[in-house]
Amino acid sequence: MTVFFVTSSCRPVSLFLLLFSLLLTSCEIFRTTPTTSTTTGRPTTAGRSKYKTVDTQTYQRQYAGEIIRIARTYTGTPYRSGGNTRDGIDCSGLLCSVFTTVGLEMPRISWQQSEVGYEVDVNQIRPGDLLFFVPEHSKAGYVSHAGIVTEVKGKLEIRFIHASSSRGVREDNLFSNYFKGRFVKAVRPF
């Protein structure tokens, strides 16, 4: 273990860099080595063998419906930042909990979740796909919100379940005024 001494002459930026480098060297998620799956050719994360790995067809056929069913059991659960339970949950916690329940790997943080699988066009979205959003309408930024597609009812109605910070776990339409301007991408997780 490395011990760092901070003197009063350190600038806030230096302190931030010091703490960030400590986080990078101590956090397991940053130490895992990305590898490529021999069956799918897609990136995987080494060292997490307790989870099943599946191909796209298996995911759609065997898991998507179950993931949607489990996610809907959280409907009405209040929002809690960092929450992972039915007592309170956030958007990335909902995805992580649901996928873990069926034995599939999903990172805990929304921007990491947005990197799992591959991007699909809006007209290709299917139930079980994941949607990702930025915080501000019509502005570029970091992924800060996520949801699971539950139904595709037409070109202008794609329903998804998510943990709303003001209303808890609920389903909304991707094309609502609130979400369509914040939408970043859709991802098929496997």
Side-chain angles (χ1 to χ4, degrees):
M1 178 175 170
T2 306
V3 178
F4 295 97
F5 294 96
V6 179
T7 65
S8 61
S9 65
C10 284
R11 294 180 177 170
V13 173
S14 298
L15 183 58
F16 170 77
L17 292 173
L18 177 71
L19 292 174
F20 184 72
S21 66
L22 179 62
L23 173 70
L24 284 176
T25 58
S26 65
C27 186
E28 181 179 338
I29 196 162
F30 293 110
R31 286 192 311 231
T32 58
T33 305
T35 60
T36 302
S37 168
T38 56
T39 56
T40 65
R42 294 195 189 104
T44 61
T45 304
R48 297 191 181 174
S49 60
K50 71 177 184 176
Y51 296 100
K52 300 173 191 169
T53 56
V54 296
D55 58 47
T56 301
Q57 291 80 17
T58 303
Y59 174 74
Q60 286 296 317
R61 190 175 58 251
Q62 294 181 7
Y63 292 98
E66 183 70 1
I67 284 169
I68 293 164
R69 186 191 68 73
I70 293 167
R72 283 179 166 160
T73 67
Y74 283 85
T75 299
T77 300
Y79 179 86
R80 180 175 297 141
S81 181
N84 248 6
T85 68
R86 294 180 191 281
D87 293 332
I89 200 162
D90 64 14
C91 64
S92 58
L94 177 65
L95 270 65
C96 188
S97 294
V98 169
F99 276 76
T100 299
T101 300
V102 298
L104 296 175
E105 179 180 10
M106 183 59 62
R108 176 60 177 86
I109 301 167
S110 57
W111 71 264
Q112 291 173 333
Q113 293 169 344
S114 73
E115 301 298 320
V116 172
Y118 59 95
E119 195 168 339
V120 294
D121 291 330
V122 172
N123 61 354
Q124 297 173 323
I125 291 175
R126 298 189 292 206
D129 289 346
L130 308 178
L131 303 179
F132 296 95
F133 305 88
V134 293
E136 292 189 59
H137 184 73
S138 299
K139 293 191 178 180
Y142 61 94
V143 168
S144 64
H145 192 64
I148 303 168
V149 175
T150 55
E151 295 177 83
V152 178
K153 293 185 170 186
K155 289 184 178 183
L156 294 177
E157 189 169 4
I158 296 175
R159 309 284 300 166
F160 69 100
I161 191 164
H162 63 111
S164 162
S165 60
S166 60
R167 298 180 188 159
V169 177
R170 56 179 278 133
E171 289 187 50
D172 281 300
N173 184 4
L174 171 62
F175 295 102
S176 69
N177 287 335
Y178 184 84
F179 287 107
K180 69 181 175 184
R182 290 173 170 81
F183 175 70
V184 176
K185 66 180 177 176
V187 170
R188 189 147 302 138
F190 297 98

